[in-house]
Amino acid sequence: MTSRDLILGRIRAALGDTGTVAEQPLPRRYLSAHAPADDPAALLDLLHRNLTDYRALVHRCTEAELPSRIAELLAARGSRTVAVPAGLPDGWLTAAVGVEPLPDDGSLTAARLDAVDSVVTGCALAVAETGTIVLDGGPGQGRRLLSLVPDHHLCVVRAPEQVVASVPLALPRLDPARPQTWISGPSATSDIELDRVVGVHGPRTLEVLLVTV
Amino acid sequence: MSDTFLGMPAFPQAAARAVRDRQLRANLRHATHTIRDKRARAVAELPDWAELRSAGKAIKDHTLRHLDRYLVQLEEAVTAAGGTVHWAADAEEANRIVAGLVHATGTTEVVKVKSMATQEIGLNEALAAEGVTAYETDLAELIVQLGEDRPSHILVPAIHRNRAEIREIFADRMASWGRPAPEGLTDSPAELAEAARLHLREKFLRAEVAVSGANFMVAETGTLVVVESEGNGRMCLTLPRTLISVVGIEKVVPTWRDLEVFLQLLPRSSTAERMNPYTSLWAGTTRGDGPSEFHLVLLDNGRTAALADQVGRQALRCIRCSACLNVCPVYERAGGHAYGSVYPGPIGAVLTPQLRGTASPVDASLPYASSLCGACYEVCPVAIDIPEVLVHLRERVAEQGGHPVERAAVAAAGYVLDHPAALAAAERLAGRTRALHPRRLPGPGRAWTDSRDLPEVPAEPFRDWWRRNRT
Ligand code: SF4
């Protein structure tokens, strides 16, 4: 007998008593959101607040200002190299003169990225209630290692279309087959006497640019 | 079962030692109270917490009831997504599978994400015996590993260590595991975290194989979920060529939608956050992104035995949030090590005896490691009635009839309960009961009475239970 058969057999034997008990439908009486899902300005403010609360650096700008804001933020950090995921909109880095772009054609290694100053990405969506940004490897987001190895992650969120209120409203918009990273603030640890230290293994600085039209 | 904790003294002896350790008690008290208060605030933010909790309970119960079906569905989905599924009936088989997979890659090193399942099966030790070094990458697990120590809390496994001790461990031990600690390392948490970052980065960049657990597995989509804070999980799940995830069969949930419940319950109940810093989700393999080989090892190791117990099976709903530890008066005083298993606190007291049976002294004494005050049930995000299971397991231990541990446990409990005044006279009582039972003294008596500032929580519920069940 294989272990698969053994385990499945044990499960069936263990559940012998449940056959006759009628099953209740799953109670899903919880809320689909805790914030007003139909108020984009309020949602954006909530996202902003929650991102900040978890120590992301949050900025706002318009679509037209985006290239210059990205350039400013990279310059302010003194970034000289930036990883560029496939499909990042062409205009985003045009103003960042003096910063060497490293477009990812699938060949950037972790070792190479370890020496890169920043990465600029878009996202799949953001969850206002929890202050979460979701990356799913779509255009402009890159392979997972791109937003992981460099020490500075600059992430662009377009409002209102990429902002949802809650986790229950986020999941239906995401593809379970795609690798996803949900990011809520920079990495952190409280392992030493519960003292919160921001920035352990992921990017120690997470900057979020909330872009409106 | 692994021999990880073999040779552990039974709960009361270990607890008695722990309550005398002032440092440990101070750390534990600070930790449990801090997390407890933060958690209460995070939970209070959601007006529908009770509804989320009952949904979480119902989804898990439904899953367990159809566990065979959902595991087969999961297997199909993971396979279709490019992964390979293995089934391990026990710890030994799981370790053999993982060691075989590691050998096949030709490497002798693996990086690990904190995983209770792999601790449960003693994977690191099993790999070491096969010539493979497993590097723990969670900061607390690193502290524990470098200190040749045992984890003491689900969420903050090194909570029994203070910063000065951690500095010493890093300064002394990092060099023999890889990159040494920086010169002049101080005990500031930020500097210690930086030392860990540098020490581990080197390992992440060269690792070819990673071993993880998972918090959830979605049957319909084959998606696995790992919830973490530090980013070491992302490193392990993303950079190596081969990923091996060892996951208990009870971690499956039916649908993608079900995550909307657990991704709200877990972070708030565990780290008291609206959402934890990083959550990774993946199904099988993705060309050009992350590991090109993915293996899922589905672990039974006693879970089906727990499933067969109509009262005890609810413990399989556990999502390992650790909230029950932080409210438990016994845990706060005894510490995680006293439980003699990777699952400490109230959940350990109900899970371990079910996974391992109650044949050994430590496992037989675990159901007595509680005052039955019920705080654990109140906070449990999947509403596991831990006191109910404890009472049930005590009955089971009692039915073992004539088991020396059981006899001693009952004798000790009886003595304490028949002499309620003695509860206050901790020192004297400990002395007397030692004289009565010089060799073994399981049960709550020792654990309670060796501690000096008790009782803060009334022992009443346990006494009630005792009176009811003694006759
Ligand atoms: S038993 Fe409940 S409270 Fe305790 S760790 Fe498990 S889920 Fe959390």
Side-chain angles (χ1 to χ4, degrees), chain A residues 3 21 28 30 200 204, chain B residues 65 93 194 197 258 260:
Chain A
S3 290
V21 189
R28 292 195 192 264
Y30 49 87
V200 195
R204 281 181 287 191
Chain B
R65 184 175 169 157
E93 186 176 16
E194 168 72 9
R197 176 185 173 95
D258 293 329
E260 75 187 16

Side-chain angles (χ1 to χ4, degrees), chain B residues 409-421:
Chain B
V410 172
Y415 180 84
V416 173
L417 295 162
D418 288 342
H419 299 73

Side-chain angles (χ1 to χ4, degrees), chain B residues 154 318-324 347 376 379-382 384 386:
Chain B
I154 294 178
C318 175
I319 56 174
R320 311 277 189 270
C321 73
S322 75
C324 57
I347 183 59
C376 48
V379 294
C380 178
V382 286
I384 298 170
I386 293 174

Side-chain angles (χ1 to χ4, degrees), chain A residues 11-140:
Chain A
I11 292 171
R12 287 170 192 139
L15 293 170
D17 63 294
T18 61
T20 54
V21 189
E23 213 173 344
Q24 305 298 314
L26 287 182
R28 292 195 192 264
R29 288 184 298 268
Y30 49 87
L31 303 171
S32 63
H34 304 87
D38 52 359
D39 185 343
L43 277 190
L44 190 59
D45 288 345
L46 182 63
L47 175 66
H48 191 147
R49 255 201 325 277
N50 283 338
L51 281 165
T52 308
D53 195 27
Y54 284 159
R55 307 194 200 191
L57 306 174
V58 187
H59 315 275
R60 295 199 191 196
C61 71
T62 63
E63 187 73 41
E65 294 164 341
L66 184 56
S68 59
R69 286 311 300 275
I70 291 177
E72 275 168 38
L73 293 170
L74 291 174
R77 250 191 89 86
S79 292
R80 308 175 66 96
T81 47
V82 58
V84 183
L88 197 81
D90 283 339
W92 284 13
L93 290 171
T94 45
V97 285
V99 180
E100 184 197 348
L102 286 135
D104 178 40
D105 55 3
S107 65
L108 282 180
T109 60
R112 178 72 188 90
L113 286 165
D114 196 31
V116 168
D117 296 322
S118 299
V119 60
V120 176
T121 74
C123 68
L125 54 77
V127 185
E129 263 182 25
T130 57
T132 304
I133 286 160
V134 180
L135 270 60
D136 72 355

Side-chain angles (χ1 to χ4, degrees), chain B residues 78-355:
Chain B
V78 169
T79 309
T84 307
V85 177
H86 310 259
W87 300 70
D90 54 27
E92 199 255 306
E93 186 176 16
N95 288 333
R96 206 170 55 233
I97 291 169
V98 176
L101 291 169
V102 176
H103 283 318
T105 67
T107 185
T108 54
E109 292 179 349
V110 303
V111 285
K112 276 190 70 202
V113 200
K114 173 178 167 182
S115 142
M116 306 201 67
T118 59
Q119 280 168 27
E120 174 192 322
I121 62 176
L123 179 66
N124 292 8
E125 293 79 1
L127 287 177
E130 295 273 327
V132 175
T133 309
Y135 295 109
E136 294 291 351
T137 64
D138 181 80
L139 178 53
E141 298 292 342
L142 176 71
I143 295 166
V144 167
Q145 185 173 46
L146 293 177
E148 293 174 357
D149 204 353
R150 301 256 180 244
S152 60
H153 189 287
I154 294 178
L155 178 63
V156 276
I159 198 62
H160 56 289
R161 297 286 197 184
N162 63 26
R163 63 184 72 192
E165 292 176 291
I166 295 168
R167 193 210 75 86
E168 209 166 296
I169 291 170
F170 279 11
D172 289 354
R173 303 284 304 149
M174 270 186 174
S176 50
W177 284 80
R179 182 174 171 150
E183 284 291 321
L185 180 68
T186 76
D187 65 3
S188 100
E191 262 190 56
L192 294 170
E194 168 72 9
R197 176 185 173 95
L198 294 169
H199 179 80
L200 288 171
R201 175 114 344 185
E202 173 202 63
K203 301 210 184 319
F204 291 134
L205 292 181
R206 68 158 194 252
E208 289 173 28
V209 179
V211 176
S212 83
N215 295 91
F216 308 102
M217 311 184 280
V218 181
E220 75 172 345
T221 61
T223 312
L224 269 74
V225 183
V226 166
V227 167
E228 54 138 351
S229 295
E230 294 174 12
N232 60 312
R234 290 178 70 190
M235 291 280 178
C236 292
L237 301 170
T238 308
L239 298 185
R241 271 206 297 273
T242 301
L243 171 62
I244 305 166
S245 299
V246 181
V247 190
I249 51 175
E250 82 283 16
K251 296 284 178 189
V252 67
V253 297
T255 68
W256 178 246
R257 184 186 174 186
D258 293 329
L259 293 178
E260 75 187 16
V261 174
F262 296 107
L263 289 181
Q264 294 195 76
L265 287 175
L266 181 56
R268 287 185 197 259
S269 196
S270 176
T271 49
E273 292 168 305
R274 294 184 194 100
M275 190 61 81
N276 49 286
Y278 295 142
T279 301
S280 296
L281 303 92
W282 76 97
T285 56
T286 305
R287 186 187 295 273
D289 185 353
S292 51
E293 226 183 281
F294 172 57
H295 297 274
L296 172 60
V297 181
L298 293 172
L299 178 71
D300 178 350
N301 202 37
R303 285 160 178 75
T304 48
L307 188 65
D309 187 315
Q310 291 179 38
V311 177
R313 64 167 64 124
Q314 58 182 308
L316 297 176
R317 294 203 294 260
C318 175
I319 56 174
R320 311 277 189 270
C321 73
S322 75
C324 57
L325 278 61
N326 299 323
V327 297
C328 178
V330 176
Y331 174 83
E332 181 186 320
R333 289 167 178 83
H337 293 146
Y339 294 80
S341 112
V342 295
Y343 303 108
I347 183 59
V350 295
L351 199 55
T352 306
Q354 295 200 80
L355 296 180

Side-chain angles (χ1 to χ4, degrees), chain B residues 453-468:
Chain B
D453 53 5
L454 278 176
E456 175 181 293
V457 173
E460 214 56 62
F462 177 74
R463 263 192 295 236
D464 293 348
W465 172 84
W466 172 257
R467 298 239 155 77
R468 252 202 344 272

